[in-house]
């Protein structure tokens, strides 16, 4: 009797719940259908994420915010300073510490260290954007974050042939877990960061470089220069149309975005002396290029519709030489800072910021042509290769895929300049720091 009542009671309870179960099933089915529709778009977004982001990043606790690494003032040219900064960041990351914001050098002196003009990192690059972009990978810290003002731990970098890469890595490993880790600040002394032994792969350096964004006031100057280049391109396009007695070009090319080529032209006297000695010492013949050779190589590039502006990133010593912009092929209109009318933008800036502006103008060009033994050119190509990888392009061989880069000092298979992408699988920055003619298009 009791069992019968229980069954009836169960039946009475279960009847009202059936509509609820049906509704739940409909909701589940709806979610499955929605996911099937949306997932392709999610996949596109995921493919555009930087390939440098480690897939297991969330498994790590992140960089400690209460322990720090301090490095000496970073010196030499812009790109040596960028490499030195990245090496300091990666060293701090290895020690699971934040890097105290370093001083860069506004002036360029290789031997007269006393003449170096320090400039805070955040006067050149955006501090907050760096930390936002590098979140979970590396971190910069203000000196005001240091709470313990006792003497830091002095980490002396070794020197000489006996100080091998292995010994340096052992020292870092010991500092990660030994006595040094008890200190809030590890102060690295000895060699400047650019000269530290290299333990990190190219993709790690690329990640740090990707986190660097120019300070807003410098970014404004970059935009002004690129705008001037595109104005010159627009003018050349209209003049070409008029010269053909047309009010407009029939194929609609007047409405296409204005593009430009940037050429890092190394033909200044001190470079030519240096590279000739380099060629003789290394028994290589693909380091130096004359102005005529560069013009010939660039004229063989067919990626862009002509007429096209060729922006020449040249040393200041060449700005008084009007012949630099002459002799170019028909349809290639060469400009440098003076001819472009932007010398006032550069004159009011110290050396480091002038270089930073030129770097970005070259990095953002539709086509870039440089010298594979130049650190400047190498880092421009690294930046462009990184952007191509983000777009899912891992080779620039064959047809134009956008953001093409070339080395005018290396002959390609077609007899023109060699197409050039950075080898992202390289285990060190050696070839980028010191140059190589062993480059390829993938």
């Amino acid at each position: 009797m009791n069992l019968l009542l229980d069954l009836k009671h169960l039946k009475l309870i279960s009847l009202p719940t059936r509509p609820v179960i049906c509704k739940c099933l409909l909701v589940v089915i709806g979610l499955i259908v929605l996911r099937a529709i949306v997932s392709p778009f999610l996949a596109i977004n995921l493919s555009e994420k930087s390939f440098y982001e480690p897939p297991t990043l969330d498994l790590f606790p992140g960089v400690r915010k209460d322990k720090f690494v301090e490095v000496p003032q970073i010196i030499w040219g812009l790109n040596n300073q960028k490499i030195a900064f990245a090496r300091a960041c990666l060293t701090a990351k290895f020690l699971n510490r934040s890097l105290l914001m370093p001083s860069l050098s506004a002036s360029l002196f290789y031997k007269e260290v006393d003449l170096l003009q320090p400039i805070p990192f955040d006067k050149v690059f955006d501090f907050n954007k760096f930390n936002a972009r590098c979140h979970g990978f590396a971190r910069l810290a203000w000196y005001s974050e240091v709470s313990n003002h006792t003497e830091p731990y002095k980490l002396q970098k070794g020197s000489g042939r006996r100080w091998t890469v292995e010994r340096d890595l052992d020292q870092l490993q010991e500092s990660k877990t030994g006595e040094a880790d008890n200190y809030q600040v590890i102060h690295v002394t000895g060699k400047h960061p650019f000269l530290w032994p290299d333990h990190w792969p190219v993709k790690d350096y690329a990640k740090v470089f990707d986190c660097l964004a120019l300070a807003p006031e410098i970014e404004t100057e970059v935009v002004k220069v690129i705008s001037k280049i595109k104005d010159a391109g627009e003018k050349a396009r209209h003049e070409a149309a008029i010269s053909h007695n047309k009010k407009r070009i029939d194929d609609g090319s007047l409405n296409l975005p204005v593009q430009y080529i940037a050429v890092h032209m190394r033909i200044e006297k001190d470079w030519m002396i240096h590279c000739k000695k380099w060629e003789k010492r290394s028994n290589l013949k693909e380091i130096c290029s004359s102005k005529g050779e560069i013009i010939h190589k660039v004229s063989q590039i067919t990626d862009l519709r002509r007429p096209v502006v060729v922006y020449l990133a040249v040393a200041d010593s060449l700005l008084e030489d009007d012949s630099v912009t002459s002799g170019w092929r028909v349809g290639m209109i060469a400009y440098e800072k003076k001819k472009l009318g932007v010398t006032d933008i550069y004159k009011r800036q110290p050396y480091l910021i002038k270089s930073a502006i030129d770097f970005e103008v070259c990095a953002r060009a539709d086509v870039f042509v440089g010298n594979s033994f130049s650190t400047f050119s190498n880092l421009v190509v690294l930046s462009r290769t990184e952007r191509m990888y983000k777009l899912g392009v891992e080779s620039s061989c064959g047809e134009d895929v956008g953001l093409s880069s070339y080395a005018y000092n290396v002959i390609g298979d077609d007899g023109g300049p060699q197409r050039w992408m950075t080898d992202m699988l390289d285990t060190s920055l050696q070839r980028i720091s010191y140059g190589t003619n062993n480059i390829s298009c993938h």
Side-chain angles (χ1 to χ4, degrees):
M1 183 68 178
N2 290 338
L3 178 60
L4 183 60
L5 288 173
D6 288 344
L7 288 172
K8 288 180 179 180
H9 182 65
L10 179 61
K11 186 174 181 181
L12 289 172
I13 293 173
S14 62
L15 286 172
T17 62
R18 287 178 182 175
V20 176
I21 293 170
C22 292
K23 289 179 181 178
C24 290
L25 286 172
L26 288 173
V27 170
V28 171
I29 292 169
L31 289 173
I32 292 171
V33 172
L34 182 62
R35 180 173 179 176
I37 295 171
V38 173
S39 59
F41 299 98
L42 291 176
I44 291 171
N45 291 336
L46 287 171
S47 69
E48 293 177 351
K49 291 177 73 177
S50 172
F51 81 108
Y52 304 109
E53 182 177 322
T56 57
L57 190 63
D58 58 342
L59 300 180
F60 293 92
V63 179
R64 288 182 293 181
K65 298 180 180 181
D66 60 341
K67 295 288 181 81
F68 310 95
V69 169
E70 182 182 32
V71 299
Q73 179 180 344
I74 293 174
I75 62 173
W76 297 338
L78 166 71
N79 295 289
N80 288 343
Q81 291 191 51
K82 288 172 76 172
I83 291 171
F85 169 76
R87 194 160 288 158
C89 273
L90 294 172
T91 299
K93 170 183 167 58
F94 181 82
L95 298 173
N96 192 21
R97 290 170 173 259
S98 300
L99 177 67
L100 288 171
M101 187 179 74
S103 286
L104 306 178
S105 300
S107 53
L108 177 62
F109 291 97
Y110 287 100
K111 295 181 180 179
E112 300 88 344
V113 178
D114 293 341
L115 299 177
L116 289 170
Q117 300 172 11
I119 181 171
F121 173 90
D122 63 335
K123 294 297 182 183
V124 183
F125 299 105
D126 192 307
F127 181 98
N128 292 326
K129 281 187 178 180
F130 179 87
N131 278 344
R133 292 179 177 184
C134 259
H135 178 71
F137 184 81
R139 181 178 180 271
L140 279 177
W142 301 102
Y143 273 84
S144 59
E145 295 179 47
V146 178
S147 58
N148 188 340
H149 296 285
T150 58
E151 281 293 310
Y153 181 87
K154 298 291 180 68
L155 182 64
Q156 177 70 42
K157 281 284 183 182
S159 60
R161 292 184 179 180
R162 292 185 178 182
W163 190 259
T164 62
V165 173
E166 292 75 21
R167 286 187 65 182
D168 189 80
L169 189 58
D170 287 343
Q171 182 192 53
L172 291 178
Q173 187 64 52
E174 184 180 345
S175 301
K176 188 175 183 179
T177 56
E179 178 190 358
D181 198 51
N182 296 325
Y183 287 75
Q184 189 178 27
V185 178
I186 294 177
H187 176 72
V188 185
T189 62
K191 289 182 176 181
H192 296 289
F194 181 81
L195 298 175
W196 292 354
D198 188 6
H199 307 295
W200 327 114
V202 166
K203 68 175 185 178
D204 283 357
Y205 283 99
K207 174 62 180 176
V208 176
F209 295 144
D210 186 40
C211 298
L212 291 172
L214 291 176
E217 55 272 21
I218 303 176
E219 174 63 26
T220 299
E221 305 291 36
V222 172
V223 172
K224 288 179 184 176
V225 175
I226 293 177
S227 178
K228 282 278 192 179
I229 293 172
K230 294 196 172 185
D231 287 346
E234 191 75 44
K235 179 182 176 183
R237 184 183 287 179
H238 280 282
E239 289 177 352
I242 293 171
S243 69
H244 287 83
N245 296 318
K246 296 180 180 180
K247 293 182 180 179
R248 63 182 181 85
I249 297 178
D250 294 335
D251 60 9
S253 62
L254 279 177
N255 298 321
L256 295 174
V258 177
Q259 299 176 308
Y260 69 97
I261 299 174
V263 180
H264 182 217
M265 183 179 274
R266 297 302 307 269
I267 58 171
E268 62 273 23
K269 186 176 179 180
D270 59 345
W271 164 260
M272 296 304 288
I273 292 172
H274 168 68
C275 74
K276 289 294 184 185
K277 290 180 178 178
W278 196 351
E279 284 185 336
K280 187 176 181 179
R281 186 171 62 250
S282 60
N283 199 28
L284 293 173
K285 295 183 178 180
E286 292 185 324
I287 300 178
C288 307
S289 297
S290 66
K291 175 196 164 188
E293 290 170 330
I294 294 172
I295 290 176
H296 176 67
K297 292 286 182 60
V298 175
S299 68
Q300 293 176 282
I301 298 171
T302 58
D303 291 14
L304 302 182
R305 180 188 297 270
R306 298 185 187 182
V308 63
V309 168
V310 180
Y311 176 74
L312 306 176
V314 297
D316 289 348
S317 60
L318 294 174
L319 295 179
E320 302 304 320
D321 183 1
D322 294 335
S323 68
V324 171
T325 57
S326 64
W328 289 81
R329 303 292 187 265
V330 175
M332 307 189 84
I333 304 95
Y335 284 84
E336 30 71 14
K337 303 176 188 72
K338 183 179 177 182
K339 184 178 176 182
L340 197 62
V342 295
T343 50
D344 59 317
I345 292 176
Y346 287 86
K347 278 182 178 177
R348 58 176 178 261
Q349 304 291 355
Y351 158 79
L352 186 68
I353 294 177
K354 288 180 184 178
S355 297
I357 294 171
D358 252 4
F359 182 93
E360 288 301 320
V361 172
C362 289
R364 300 178 195 184
D366 299 281
V367 173
F368 172 72
V369 193
N371 187 304
S372 66
F373 282 87
S374 159
T375 309
F376 180 100
S377 291
N378 267 288
L379 288 190
V380 168
V381 174
L382 174 58
S383 171
R384 295 166 68 83
T385 301
E386 175 193 3
R387 288 167 61 193
M388 292 175 73
Y389 266 81
K390 285 183 177 181
L391 295 171
V393 179
E394 298 185 12
S395 172
S396 63
C397 304
E399 296 181 4
D400 174 41
V401 292
L403 289 174
S404 297
S405 300
Y406 296 83
Y408 57 67
N409 62 303
V410 181
I411 299 175
D413 294 337
D414 58 357
Q418 173 63 50
R419 283 184 179 267
W420 184 9
M421 286 183 72
T422 302
D423 180 4
M424 289 297 186
L425 299 179
D426 210 338
T427 56
S428 79
L429 212 66
Q430 175 75 18
R431 292 196 290 181
I432 290 176
S433 299
Y434 298 103
T436 179
N437 58 3
N438 183 21
I439 61 173
S440 70
C441 51
H442 53 76

